[in-house]
Amino acid sequence: MKITIIGGGNMGGAIAVGTAAGGRIAPDGITVTAKTEKTLEKIRCADARIRTTTDNREAVRGADLIVVAVKPWLAEEVIASFRDLLDYRRQAVASVVAGLSFDRLEAMLDNGSGISPAMFRIIPNTAVSLGESVTFIAARGASEALLAEVVSLFDELGRTFVVEEAMMAAGTSLA
């Protein structure tokens, strides 16, 4: 599996570093984007094997899972910048954006194809970089196999709980 993390700030960076430290995905199978080179330099200092770029459009090409890890007020603009490139038959989208519901995420991802991607809402905490996170995951439109793969990825980073979307708000306070 190849993962692109859109947003290399605190949470996106922690997910990238934790994933690279695990054995499930090779570090060169992880791409992280950020608006500034300064942010990307932090990622490279943590693990030089992780691919970094400021180009979201280039980063999503070839990714199996796109993790959107930006501030809530940036999500719509950021997703709009690359959604036309996505192939929802093979690419899934996960959001760690606070408060972004599946309905809203689906609307943001509408690329006119009539197809919705498999989607995940993920609430980890920054201990994910140390493999000590408590992570809550909700899924929509994902096969059991894909859900199991995403859960397995986050299990490597701590403890993972699959919940219904309605439980995500409770998960935020518990994590």
Side-chain angles (χ1 to χ4, degrees):
M1 175 180 273
K2 290 186 178 182
I3 298 176
T4 290
I5 301 169
I6 305 293
N10 290 336
M11 188 55 67
I15 292 169
V17 170
T19 301
R24 190 150 180 354
I25 296 177
D28 64 356
I30 304 165
T31 301
V32 179
T33 72
K35 193 184 293 190
T36 67
E37 282 295 329
K38 182 179 178 183
T39 300
L40 294 176
E41 184 59 28
K42 291 179 186 176
I43 303 293
R44 290 190 290 266
C45 286
D47 193 323
R49 302 170 300 168
I50 297 171
R51 297 172 30 133
T52 60
T53 181
T54 57
D55 187 344
N56 291 340
R57 290 179 65 81
E58 183 58 35
V60 300
R61 296 179 203 268
D64 300 304
L65 177 65
I66 295 100
V67 178
V68 180
V70 299
K71 300 292 185 195
W73 57 88
L74 297 174
E76 189 163 9
E77 177 184 346
V78 169
I79 290 170
S81 75
F82 62 78
R83 73 176 164 231
D84 62 309
L85 297 175
L86 301 180
D87 178 355
Y88 295 149
R89 288 183 184 93
R90 67 165 205 81
Q91 291 178 300
V93 178
S95 168
V96 296
V97 177
L100 184 59
S101 70
F102 279 134
D103 289 341
R104 187 72 186 117
L105 179 60
E106 187 171 29
M108 289 180 188
L109 289 166
D110 184 354
N111 63 9
S113 69
I115 301 170
S116 294
M119 295 181 292
F120 299 91
R121 287 189 60 200
I122 301 173
I123 301 176
N125 57 37
T126 54
V128 75
S129 67
L130 306 171
E132 298 292 331
S133 180
V134 173
T135 301
F136 293 88
I137 298 176
R140 179 188 276 184
S143 67
E144 286 188 32
L146 181 56
L147 175 59
E149 194 168 1
V150 171
V151 167
S152 177
L153 171 69
F154 280 88
D155 275 346
E156 211 175 46
L157 306 175
R159 201 76 209 258
T160 304
F161 298 91
V162 176
V163 299
E164 296 296 319
E165 181 181 27
M167 299 299 296
M168 294 300 275
T172 302
S173 60
L174 292 173

